Amino acid sequence: DEANTKAGIRTWVKQVREASFRIEDVIDEYLRVIHVVQHLGCGASICKITHLISTLISRHQIATEIQDIKLSLSVIKERSERYKFQVSQEQPSSSSTGGIEGSRWHDPRMSSLFIEETEIVGFELPRDELVAWLLKGTEERTVISVVGMGGLGKTTLCKHVFDSENVKSHFDCRACITVSQSYTVRGLFIDMIKQFCRETKDPLPQMLHEMDEKSLISELRQYLEHKRYLIFFDDVWHEDFCDQVEFAMPNNNRSSRIIITTRMMHVAEFFKKSFPVHILSLQLLPPDKAWELFCKKAFRFELGGKCPAELQGMSNN
């Protein structure tokens, strides 16, 4: 009956949410273990051996957790089929080569880059702090690291500030670069040059796509030498990213700023070896703001973004 169906849907939603949190946690733990292994070196001290044993135990626990998550996902899939939940899938285009063109992957961060200002909820204090770091303070080139677990709204907050009129007018040129885990340094540099030139309406360098990394770094340094620039690197995963991009961004004492978002505090802190760094640790929304955001998303086209009275009791379960 209808009551059982609603209960089944609530259980399914809860299971999906818990599975996503577990996946986030196991990824973070795996990255932590990799970080430890990389820093153990090849010495044979008792301390390092102890760390290695601990790391092996952690890897076994991670493997066990992944198997358990896979099992729980099969249960979730079975429940979705039982209640006939519909999952739309884009069918391969008949005009595609081998069906590859029709199977497109959607980047979930894309919507965060184009969110409307009216949809921003609960970011007032971190927004004001971020703006102050961008517009005030030292003339030295400075990094602002926004850190937090996946889904907290790091990209939304930073892009909202990046696109604000007072920030736009403060900088001579800006670039917003999505990094993720599949980037190439050369590709990032080319994208940066294209965005700078597009914003300032300068012509692109000749033979841009034929340049190697060294040439691209030289091109960027020359272009940015006398400009106050703002660069936003979204979703940084690796410490060595700092080393890879550092020399492309000259320290010209014009109050230039670099924003990065990352899930890992050690990535944010690694930038301290080369830059002055401000760290903004983003926290979960308080319950009232979380509820406000949910209603704006769920009922954005009806009832003025308010939850219908008949559904409020169910939402509190």
Side-chain angles (χ1 to χ4, degrees):
D1 59 10
E2 184 177 352
N4 287 335
T5 299
K6 287 182 178 180
I9 293 173
R10 284 200 300 270
T11 301
W12 181 79
V13 170
K14 181 180 178 181
Q15 289 176 337
V16 171
R17 183 171 61 245
E18 290 175 349
S20 68
F21 289 154
R22 291 178 67 189
I23 291 169
E24 292 276 0
D25 290 343
V26 81
I27 291 173
D28 288 344
E29 177 62 15
Y30 174 76
L31 293 171
R32 185 194 67 78
V33 169
I34 294 299
H35 175 69
V36 170
V37 170
Q38 289 174 342
H39 285 76
L40 283 178
C42 57
S45 67
I46 296 298
C47 180
K48 288 185 177 181
I49 292 173
T50 302
H51 274 299
L52 183 58
I53 293 172
S54 175
T55 300
L56 291 173
I57 294 172
S58 295
R59 292 175 67 176
H60 175 72
Q61 290 172 339
I62 289 171
T64 302
E65 176 69 0
I66 289 173
Q67 292 301 320
D68 194 45
I69 290 173
K70 289 173 67 176
L71 180 61
S72 69
L73 289 176
S74 67
V75 173
I76 291 171
K77 182 175 184 293
E78 187 274 332
R79 181 178 289 274
S80 71
E81 293 170 348
R82 186 190 317 161
Y83 289 97
K84 296 181 173 61
F85 299 155
Q86 298 298 313
V87 180
S88 62
Q89 294 181 338
E90 186 176 345
Q91 296 300 317
S93 170
S94 58
S95 61
S96 64
T97 305
I100 296 175
E101 283 291 323
S103 180
R104 293 189 174 91
W105 175 76
H106 171 66
D107 186 344
R109 289 180 305 278
M110 189 65 69
S111 61
S112 300
L113 295 174
F114 299 99
I115 196 165
E116 299 292 337
E117 183 172 358
T118 54
E119 297 179 60
I120 302 293
V121 174
F123 285 148
E124 293 79 11
L125 290 177
R127 176 200 61 200
D128 293 345
E129 191 170 16
L130 186 54
V131 169
W133 285 336
L134 288 173
L135 305 185
K136 301 175 183 178
T138 178
E139 293 182 350
E140 191 173 359
R141 170 196 61 177
T142 303
V143 167
I144 300 164
S145 297
V146 181
V147 186
M149 63 180 286
L152 278 186
K154 301 182 297 297
T155 301
T156 300
L157 167 64
C158 293
K159 191 59 165 60
H160 171 64
V161 170
F162 181 88
D163 286 334
S164 62
E165 288 303 322
N166 55 343
V167 170
K168 276 185 181 180
S169 61
H170 185 73
F171 293 94
D172 299 321
C173 58
R174 302 173 308 137
C176 174
I177 310 294
T178 299
V179 181
S180 295
Q181 298 187 73
S182 57
Y183 73 94
T184 65
V185 177
R186 186 172 170 276
L188 292 184
F189 290 159
I190 291 174
D191 197 8
M192 287 166 64
I193 292 173
K194 285 182 175 179
Q195 290 194 40
F196 287 141
C197 291
R198 186 184 308 127
E199 181 156 305
T200 57
K201 295 182 171 58
D202 291 323
L204 286 174
Q206 293 185 353
M207 308 295 287
L208 175 62
H209 288 276
E210 280 69 44
M211 292 183 184
D212 58 17
E213 284 186 25
K214 183 179 178 181
S215 300
L216 290 167
I217 289 174
S218 297
E219 194 74 38
L220 281 164
R221 291 183 66 85
Q222 182 178 349
Y223 185 85
L224 297 174
E225 183 179 4
H226 301 294
K227 292 182 175 66
R228 177 188 294 158
Y229 57 85
L230 171 62
I231 305 174
F232 171 24
F233 292 116
D234 184 39
D235 201 23
V236 177
W237 284 76
H238 305 291
E239 284 181 349
D240 61 354
F241 181 80
C242 172
D243 297 328
Q244 293 170 343
V245 301
E246 173 188 355
F247 297 110
M249 302 176 294
N251 184 16
N252 54 14
N253 291 317
R254 290 180 175 269
S255 301
S256 296
R257 299 290 184 261
I258 300 110
I259 303 173
I260 73 160
T261 62
T262 180
R263 303 183 185 197
M264 291 153 285
M265 184 62 73
H266 66 85
V267 171
E269 292 181 336
F270 193 79
F271 279 81
K272 291 180 178 179
K273 78 180 190 66
S274 305
F275 302 85
V277 175
H278 296 294
I279 294 181
L280 176 60
S281 184
L282 211 57
Q283 304 299 317
L284 292 170
L285 290 176
D288 59 327
K289 291 296 184 180
W291 174 247
E292 180 183 346
L293 178 60
F294 169 78
C295 290
K296 279 193 172 186
K297 290 291 188 181
F299 309 107
R300 60 183 301 184
F301 297 119
E302 53 186 332
L303 304 173
K306 304 294 183 183
C307 178
E310 63 271 19
L311 296 181
Q312 288 188 2
M314 181 188 299
S315 68
N316 292 325
N317 292 337

